[in-house]
């Protein structure tokens, strides 16, 4: 406490951009007490909010935009970094997928800007990607990570062909496919046909 009896202390909040209930209770040895309750809003002076897609396709090329917000009363400069990992194996894929992994930025007080990273998803990528966007200044840092599923751009098409079995050998011809199509396989199904009544 200071000479006037005012207490001050510092602590770290576990989350930002959140409303908290702040409750205080003070008492003396002679059982005099006081209770107070307040609402606190916490937020970081520097925040990043990436505009993540819901999903990506193999071979996609996207520009990932991120908004950087400065809530402080002074100008802030720093770096924004993009890191990409395989969500299943944990391997760092940043060098393969991102052309420029980090950029410098400068934001005026109480304003925001947008920064972008160009991402190219390899054709052979099957596992989901963990995309991590972080910003760092001299005094503050913030970041977000998202797991994005990767889908194949291929479309599965099934075609049914009727044929009949006779006394001689029967052969089934593969249907004509488009030039960019890949043959998956053949399935044979025999449907029973009820005997006709004579």
């Amino acid at each position: 406490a200071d000479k006037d009896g005012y207490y001050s202390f510092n602590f770290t909040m576990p989350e930002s951009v959140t409303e908290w209930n702040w409750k205080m209770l003070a008492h003396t040895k002679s059982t005099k007490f006081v209770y107070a309750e307040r609402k606190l809003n916490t937020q970081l002076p520097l925040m990043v909010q990436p505009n993540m897609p819901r999903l990506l396709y193999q071979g996609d090329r996207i520009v990932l935009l991120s908004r950087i917000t400065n809530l402080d009363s002074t100008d802030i400069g720093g770096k924004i970094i993009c890191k990409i990992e395989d969500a299943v194996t944990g391997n760092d894929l940043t060098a393969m997928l991102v052309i420029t992994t980090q950029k410098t930025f400068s934001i005026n007080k109480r304003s925001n800007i947008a920064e972008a990273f160009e991402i190219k998803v390899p054709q052979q990528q099957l596992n989901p990607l963990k995309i991590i966007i972080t910003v760092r200044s001299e005094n503050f840092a913030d970041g977000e990570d998202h797991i994005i599923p990767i889908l194949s751009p291929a479309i599965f098409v099934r075609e049914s062909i009727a044929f009949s079995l006779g006394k001689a050998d029967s052969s089934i011809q593969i249907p004509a496919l488009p030039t960019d199509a890949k043959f998956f396989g053949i399935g044979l199904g025999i449907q029973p046909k009820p005997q006709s009544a004579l």
Side-chain angles (χ1 to χ4, degrees), residues 25-153:
L25 174 68
H27 62 87
T28 64
K29 290 181 181 179
S30 59
T31 67
K32 293 181 180 177
F33 72 93
V34 64
Y35 175 81
E37 194 172 311
R38 301 282 187 275
K39 294 275 189 190
L40 292 180
N41 288 306
T42 58
Q43 57 189 18
L44 290 171
L46 177 67
M47 293 188 297
V48 64
Q49 296 165 306
N51 187 15
M52 290 288 180
R54 288 188 308 112
L55 54 92
L56 291 168
Y57 288 96
Q58 293 170 331
D60 268 358
R61 188 180 202 106
I62 67 161
V63 174
L64 179 64
L65 283 173
S66 298
R67 183 172 67 182
I68 307 170
T69 305
N70 177 10
L71 299 173
D72 207 354
S73 57
T74 59
D75 298 349
I76 291 180
K79 290 184 179 180
I80 179 169
I81 303 162
C82 178
K83 182 179 178 183
I84 301 179
E85 298 175 354
D86 189 307
V88 176
T89 64
N91 294 337
D92 190 349
L93 305 176
T94 309
M96 278 178 32
L97 277 68
V98 185
I99 297 168
T100 306
T101 59
Q102 67 178 11
K103 297 181 177 182
T104 58
F105 66 86
S106 179
I107 315 175
N108 296 331
K109 59 183 179 181
R110 295 187 180 89
S111 62
N112 58 62
I113 61 168
E115 286 290 346
F117 291 99
E118 188 175 342
I119 298 173
K120 175 80 168 69
V121 181
Q123 290 283 354
Q124 68 275 12
Q125 181 68 33
L126 295 173
N127 295 335
L129 296 176
K130 182 178 182 182
I131 302 177
I132 306 161
I133 304 291
T134 55
V135 289
R136 295 185 185 282
S137 69
E138 187 177 346
N139 300 319
F140 307 109
D142 188 29
E144 283 191 16
D145 62 78
H146 298 266
I147 295 178
I148 311 295
I150 305 296
L151 302 180
S152 170

